[in-house]
Amino acid sequence: MSKLKKLGSLLLALVFALGLTCTAFAADITITNANAGETYNAYLIFTATTSDSGGVTYYIDSNTSAYWDYIVAMSNLASDEQKEASDYAELFTLVETGTDGLYQVTWVGDGDSSNDGEEGHEDEVDSAIIAYLVSVGAKGSVAGTVTPDEDGSAKITVSKAGYYFVTTTTGSVVSINTSADSVNITDKNAEPTVDKKASETASNYSDSDTYAQIGDTVYFQSTISNVADAANLKLIDTLSEGLTLNENSIVVTLDDTTLDDTTLVKDIDYTIVTSSTGFTITFLSTSETLAAATSTSTIVVTYNATVNGDADIYTDANTNTTYVTYGNSSESEKDSTKTYVYDIDLSKKDGSGNTLTAKFTLTRSGESSPVYFVAVKGGYRVATADEIASEEVTTTTTIEAGSVNISGLDAGTYTLTETEAPEGYNQLTSSVTITINTDGTVTVSGNDLVSSTSSTNDVTVINNAGSSLPSTGGIGTTIFYVVGG
């Protein structure tokens, strides 16, 4: 197909024969497994007559057929230049009948001008005809059309015996079941599909959930399969409110096991519209790169998003959902990823269980500086980079507890350090390691005065009252002095 430019508006093709001996002709093309809402059109390539024995003879009228020039290019009448330019030369033999402009059509290798339907064709010749017709597109008037209902069946009625070319807007492949006065064909529905994956780094994408702290970057990959010849193909990506798309991170490539991977170019191969909740990529039918797509080609879209201050807290997830639309109204199943963000409930108490107020910092594992927070109702939330940089937003690394909720944290390990104890109480002498598990529970270690409650996110810090200095006994306030003379 390297010498032929595929037309993006035409997505699938079928050629088959309809023959009937009676004069008043009507025949049905029944399509099973059809896509509801899509349009199926039949185009007449050759007219046909039948003999009493059931043989079929095909004709093309050079004066009226919209396909004449294309059939000539595939026939014995093709010029040397046409043969050189085409991958599908000399598939037909055209013989003048004596009637002005009317030619009898036989397939190469038939050996008999009376063709008995599909049995007279070589499979590879039919495949080549289909491929060529796809490349040149639908021509002339529509001989019959149908838009299927939800039950997946459809029927086109045609008024002439002949050899027909059926197109649909989905991009699927149709095969022949029978070749009779009326025929049944099956839309194999090689529909575009999308597979969504995510990662906490710019590699190693997987179906697994991701975990993040507010301000972290999460990476996404959407892979679209069955893209060859797909019409009106669009990728729709929707992010939940807790994820902010980084528009400049979007990269689109055409990947193929037999070809070099190619980065697609905006406004040449696709257009993109972004919004606060995601983006839509429309793949262009004029793209020469996409026209070279094969059955093994995939379109891969990678991009990233930042977890923001509106992130949902576990058990709720921050979702990223992707699907594709194609044809007139068809769409794929949706695929989603989930990113989880966590919180802890921190309490400060004395040995009797009474609530106290102390000051703490919380430092993420692998980092030297404490986490910055903004005060929110009921506690603290991890600050975003914009909030930290803003002169209008108050951020702090100090947590005053009491009893507070601390949200926006990643699954993983943090160090809790008491920086100021309540007046009259002893400050913790060592920091505490807090581990947030992916099921939302926490475990603590490193100090016996800090505990967590099984199956919860509660962390409790105990401060004991400080001891008074001992008195000096009977000396009291007596002042000793020496008088010397």
Side-chain angles (χ1 to χ4, degrees):
M1 297 278 291
S2 59
K3 298 179 182 177
L4 296 170
K5 180 179 178 182
K6 302 175 187 176
L7 301 184
S9 60
L10 185 63
L11 310 180
L12 87 95
L14 160 72
V15 286
F16 62 92
L18 290 172
L20 195 66
T21 55
C22 60
T23 303
F25 180 85
D28 293 328
I29 306 166
T30 300
I31 306 164
T32 57
N33 201 34
N35 280 301
E38 299 300 331
T39 301
Y40 293 76
N41 291 324
Y43 296 85
L44 180 64
I45 307 300
F46 307 127
T47 57
T49 61
T50 59
S51 65
D52 292 339
S53 62
V56 182
T57 303
Y58 294 96
Y59 298 93
I60 186 169
D61 191 329
S62 63
N63 297 316
T64 60
S65 173
Y67 280 95
W68 169 252
D69 290 339
Y70 306 100
I71 297 303
V72 166
M74 302 170 71
S75 76
N76 59 306
L77 302 182
S79 66
D80 291 340
E81 183 178 356
Q82 286 174 317
K83 293 177 183 178
E84 177 64 26
S86 175
D87 293 336
Y88 305 107
E90 298 189 75
L91 296 178
F92 299 110
T93 298
L94 300 179
V95 179
E96 291 185 90
T97 63
T99 301
D100 181 36
L102 189 65
Y103 288 77
Q104 182 178 323
V105 183
T106 58
W107 279 257
V108 171
D110 274 353
D112 190 334
S113 62
S114 178
N115 195 312
D116 59 350
E118 286 297 311
E119 293 179 359
H121 307 175
E122 298 290 345
D123 288 342
E124 60 269 24
V125 174
D126 274 338
S127 297
I129 294 168
I130 292 171
Y132 183 74
L133 291 176
V134 168
S135 73
V136 302
K139 304 296 178 184
S141 59
V142 176
T145 188
V146 67
T147 300
D149 295 326
E150 292 295 333
D151 63 0
S153 64
K155 185 180 293 184
I156 300 174
T157 299
V158 293
S159 60
K160 292 182 179 181
Y163 193 79
Y164 284 86
F165 171 43
V166 174
T167 70
T168 183
T169 50
T170 63
S172 55
V173 177
V174 172
S175 64
I176 299 170
N177 285 342
T178 64
S179 177
D181 297 338
S182 290
V183 298
N184 298 315
I185 61 176
T186 300
D187 188 338
K188 292 182 179 178
N189 289 339
E191 302 171 352
T193 59
V194 64
D195 180 43
K196 184 79 171 181
K197 298 182 185 297
S199 177
E200 295 167 20
T201 64
S203 60
N204 300 321
Y205 295 96
S206 74
D207 295 321
S208 301
D209 297 331
T210 53
Y211 312 98
Q213 178 176 288
I214 287 174
D216 285 353
T217 299
V218 183
Y219 299 83
F220 300 100
Q221 180 188 73
S222 296
T223 302
I224 311 171
S225 301
N226 300 327
V227 299
D229 296 323
N232 303 326
L233 183 64
K234 294 182 180 181
L235 173 75
I236 294 91
D237 190 279
T238 304
L239 297 90
S240 61
E241 290 184 2
L243 296 170
T244 300
L245 173 69
N246 298 317
E247 295 182 14
N248 293 333
S249 70
I250 299 172
V251 176
V252 186
T253 59
L254 179 68
D255 291 1
D256 197 295
T257 56
T258 60
L259 302 172
D260 292 335
D261 295 348
T262 304
T263 299
L264 301 181
V265 180
K266 181 183 174 183
D267 297 328
I268 295 177
D269 301 307
Y270 67 92
T271 59
I272 184 168
V273 176
T274 60
S275 69
S276 60
T277 58
F279 60 90
T280 298
I281 296 177
T282 300
F283 297 97
L284 301 177
S285 61
T286 54
S287 166
E288 294 186 3
T289 301
L290 291 173
T294 70
S295 60
T296 61
S297 297
T298 58
I299 295 174
V300 179
V301 182
T302 57
Y303 50 99
N304 61 61
T306 302
V307 182
N308 62 46
D310 293 323
D312 286 322
I313 304 302
Y314 186 87
T315 58
D316 292 331
N318 300 277
T319 59
N320 183 209
T321 301
T322 298
Y323 65 100
V324 294
T325 63
Y326 55 97
N328 289 340
S329 59
S330 295
E331 66 178 48
S332 69
E333 292 186 1
K334 295 178 180 179
D335 198 9
S336 299
T337 60
K338 295 179 179 180
T339 299
Y340 289 103
V341 179
Y342 296 87
D343 65 348
I344 61 173
D345 289 323
L346 177 64
S347 299
K348 179 71 174 179
K349 298 181 182 296
D350 64 15
S352 299
N354 300 307
T355 299
L356 303 173
T357 300
K359 294 181 180 180
F360 300 88
T361 60
L362 192 66
T363 304
R364 194 179 191 181
S365 176
E367 297 183 0
S368 58
S369 299
V371 178
Y372 275 85
F373 296 95
V374 291
V376 295
K377 183 178 181 179
Y380 298 86
R381 170 181 59 74
V382 174
T384 66
D386 288 342
E387 289 170 335
I388 295 171
S390 173
E391 296 181 357
E392 299 178 0
V393 178
T394 299
T395 61
T396 180
T397 60
T398 299
I399 301 167
E400 288 196 45
S403 181
V404 296
N405 176 265
I406 304 170
S407 64
L409 304 172
D410 190 7
T413 302
Y414 290 83
T415 299
L416 180 70
T417 302
E418 187 175 46
T419 59
E420 184 178 319
E423 185 175 351
Y425 287 81
N426 296 327
Q427 183 174 323
L428 295 182
T429 58
S430 62
S431 297
V432 181
T433 299
I434 299 175
T435 301
I436 302 174
N437 305 307
T438 58
D439 64 357
T441 62
V442 298
T443 56
V444 299
S445 61
N447 194 306
D448 292 339
L449 295 176
V450 182
S451 63
S452 60
T453 304
S454 176
S455 302
T456 72
N457 64 341
D458 295 332
V459 177
T460 302
V461 180
I462 303 297
N463 274 138
N464 292 318
S467 300
S468 300
L469 291 175
S471 69
T472 57
I475 294 180
T477 59
T478 303
I479 299 176
F480 292 88
Y481 59 91
V482 176
V483 177

